[in-house]
Amino acid sequence: MKPIIRRNNAKHIKSKAEVKYEKLLSQLQEQQQYNNNLQSSLQTAQAKVTAELEPLTKRYYALLRKLVFAIDGAANKSVMGKQNKGLLDAYMAETSRFLLKRFGYQDTLLAALLLKYSNINADDVVRHYEEQFTSAKFSQVYGFNINFKELVEKGEENYFTENRHHFIKARQTQPTAVIESEPVQDWSKDNKTAARKEADDKLLHRDARSVYMRLIKKFHPDLERDEDKQNLNTEIVKEVTKAYQEKDFYTLLKLQIRYLDENETEATNMADIMLKRYNKILQKQLAELKQKIQMQQYTSGNMIEDFIDNHGNFSPQKFATQRNFLKKRNNALTSEIQTSTKSPEIWLNGYLHLLKLNQDK
């Protein structure tokens, strides 16, 4: 088949609307592919995190808990200066509070450490949660009532893990309350979404039919007596009909622009207006798709999201890096605990010196 060229042999210069359309379409296709990849990737990541990383993380918390008691035991036997005492108190208060968020205030030994090194007790923490979490913003973010006493007793991680179904349900029913995305109309309700999509479909169908009828009337083979021109028009009509049947609106517009004559300024302007309308629809679709992806990532948990690459695929390399890091961290803690039993006072001085070096960085 001979290549079809524009009738006036002029080189077509893309309008701003065409350039914007191609950019939006490319972004939309990338996001759609990312979303398709993400579906299976999140499942893979979740399974591997549960099987391989969670045990390492639990081991880390257990080792860190053991370490703070080793530090406390060594501190009871040591005489230290004011600077080291201040460093020790700050570290023990911060670490014991960190661990209590994991284990909860039902761990009375850790609670006693926090009280010893920071003079904070469980009642103070309960009041802190109540003051911080009863704000309107917190209610909007989590979307369900929090039992503060239970949260403090069980620890944040355990509490939110047990109530994960409430957490996810709140995200699914009120996504706009927790996710910031590009400015876009609120289509969170199904009836609004359906109505908007139906209106967009009607608009596109109307524009597509308008372009289709214009091109068919202009290039109908029966309008030409010359056989070569008839054959050329036949190919053009086939191309136009194929794009119309496949609902490829942009291809229809490109065909219209390609086969316009120089004096058809009205059709050129109309194609540009249609493209601008179509671009607005694509912008909505792109914003909604990005929001959907954010929702999936948000409800899956940050750790799982860390192992997803820029294409939405699970990254074995990123996962292996994190797994190796957790193993090395646990080995380092195990080594510290073993060393602490040999000469507690000397070991504590060395440990505090390392803390000071890290603090000064």
Side-chain angles (χ1 to χ4, degrees):
M1 182 182 76
K2 295 181 179 181
I4 300 172
I5 59 174
R6 191 173 176 180
R7 285 296 179 97
N8 57 16
N9 294 322
K11 181 180 179 182
H12 171 59
I13 299 176
K14 294 180 181 178
S15 67
K16 290 182 178 179
E18 285 182 85
V19 173
K20 185 175 182 180
Y21 172 85
E22 291 178 346
K23 182 178 179 181
L24 282 170
L25 186 62
S26 176
Q27 291 175 338
L28 188 61
Q29 289 171 341
E30 288 177 4
Q31 291 294 315
Q32 287 172 335
Q33 185 59 54
Y34 184 97
N35 184 54
N36 293 337
N37 295 340
L38 189 64
Q39 305 298 319
S40 59
S41 298
L42 288 177
Q43 294 179 3
T44 301
Q46 179 66 70
K48 291 186 73 65
V49 165
T50 300
E52 300 179 45
L53 299 193
E54 286 186 2
L56 291 172
T57 302
K58 289 179 180 179
R59 176 65 176 160
Y60 166 72
Y61 280 111
L63 288 169
L64 187 59
R65 183 182 184 278
K66 193 172 182 179
L67 179 66
V68 295
F69 286 116
I71 293 173
D72 180 57
N76 292 335
K77 302 175 183 178
S78 302
V79 177
M80 60 186 70
K82 184 177 180 181
Q83 186 178 14
N84 275 352
K85 181 66 167 60
L87 184 62
L88 175 70
D89 289 348
Y91 175 78
M92 291 296 282
E94 180 184 355
T95 308
S96 57
R97 186 160 192 165
F98 170 75
L99 288 170
L100 281 165
K101 286 186 177 182
R102 167 76 186 199
F103 293 105
Y105 274 77
Q106 58 192 359
D107 190 324
T108 55
L109 294 178
L110 279 176
L113 272 188
L114 179 63
L115 182 61
K116 177 179 178 179
Y117 287 97
S118 66
N119 200 30
I120 295 176
N121 58 37
D123 291 336
D124 295 329
V125 176
V126 171
R127 281 194 296 272
H128 167 75
Y129 274 109
E130 289 176 339
E131 291 172 1
Q132 181 180 356
F133 292 154
T134 53
S135 66
K137 184 176 180 180
F138 178 84
S139 300
Q140 289 177 356
V141 169
Y142 283 93
F144 65 96
N145 294 327
I146 302 297
N147 186 324
F148 299 111
K149 183 178 180 181
E150 186 180 352
L151 183 147
V152 172
E153 289 177 350
K154 291 184 175 181
E156 289 181 12
E157 185 169 341
N158 292 332
Y159 181 82
F160 285 113
T161 297
E162 291 180 7
N163 291 275
R164 182 176 176 80
H165 58 292
H166 294 307
F167 181 79
I168 295 176
K169 184 178 180 181
R171 295 299 180 277
Q172 292 172 339
T173 55
Q174 296 179 330
T176 55
V178 296
I179 295 179
E180 296 181 0
S181 60
E182 299 176 20
V184 61
Q185 293 187 31
D186 179 12
W187 304 111
S188 56
K189 294 184 179 180
D190 291 341
N191 58 341
K192 285 186 178 181
T193 303
R196 193 266 301 165
K197 288 182 178 179
E198 183 178 357
D200 288 345
D201 288 343
K202 286 182 179 179
L203 180 62
L204 289 179
H205 179 72
R206 186 191 71 191
D207 286 347
R209 182 164 180 78
S210 175
V211 174
Y212 171 73
M213 293 304 297
R214 174 188 289 272
L215 292 173
I216 292 297
K217 287 178 181 178
K218 181 176 180 179
F219 295 110
H220 198 288
D222 293 345
L223 298 177
E224 294 288 353
R225 294 185 178 181
D226 182 82
E227 186 177 352
D228 289 339
K229 289 183 178 181
Q230 279 187 344
N231 292 335
L232 179 61
N233 283 6
T234 298
E235 295 303 324
I236 293 175
V237 167
K238 285 181 180 179
E239 197 173 3
V240 170
T241 302
K242 181 176 183 294
Y244 181 69
Q245 290 176 343
E246 294 178 355
K247 299 182 180 180
D248 189 347
F249 177 66
Y250 182 58
T251 296
L252 277 174
L253 286 179
K254 286 201 297 184
L255 291 172
Q256 174 170 270
I257 293 170
R258 184 193 304 173
Y259 299 125
L260 287 175
D261 292 325
E262 290 180 350
N263 61 348
E264 293 186 88
T265 55
E266 180 184 350
T268 302
N269 293 336
M270 182 59 66
D272 206 48
I273 292 171
M274 289 178 179
L275 260 181
K276 289 176 181 178
R277 283 205 297 260
Y278 196 32
N279 284 344
K280 289 181 180 180
I281 293 173
L282 284 181
Q283 283 177 314
K284 292 178 189 176
Q285 293 176 352
L286 183 60
E288 290 171 359
L289 183 56
K290 285 182 177 179
Q291 191 177 65
K292 180 180 179 181
I293 291 171
Q294 286 180 323
M295 172 61 64
Q296 293 180 79
Q297 293 172 330
Y298 192 73
T299 55
S300 70
N302 290 332
M303 179 180 283
I304 292 175
E305 183 184 347
D306 290 342
F307 309 129
I308 305 300
D309 65 19
N310 294 333
H311 303 290
N313 294 313
F314 173 73
S315 172
Q317 294 82 5
K318 290 184 177 182
F319 184 82
T321 298
Q322 179 65 10
R323 182 181 55 206
N324 292 337
F325 166 75
L326 294 179
K327 287 182 177 180
K328 289 179 180 179
R329 186 177 65 174
N330 287 354
N331 290 337
L333 279 179
T334 301
S335 179
E336 286 290 350
I337 293 168
Q338 290 172 349
T339 305
S340 71
T341 62
K342 297 176 182 178
S343 182
E345 296 176 45
I346 297 175
W347 166 78
L348 180 59
N349 286 331
Y351 193 78
L352 291 174
H353 179 67
L354 288 175
L355 287 180
K356 188 176 185 306
L357 290 177
N358 291 331
Q359 190 180 65
D360 292 340
K361 287 182 179 180

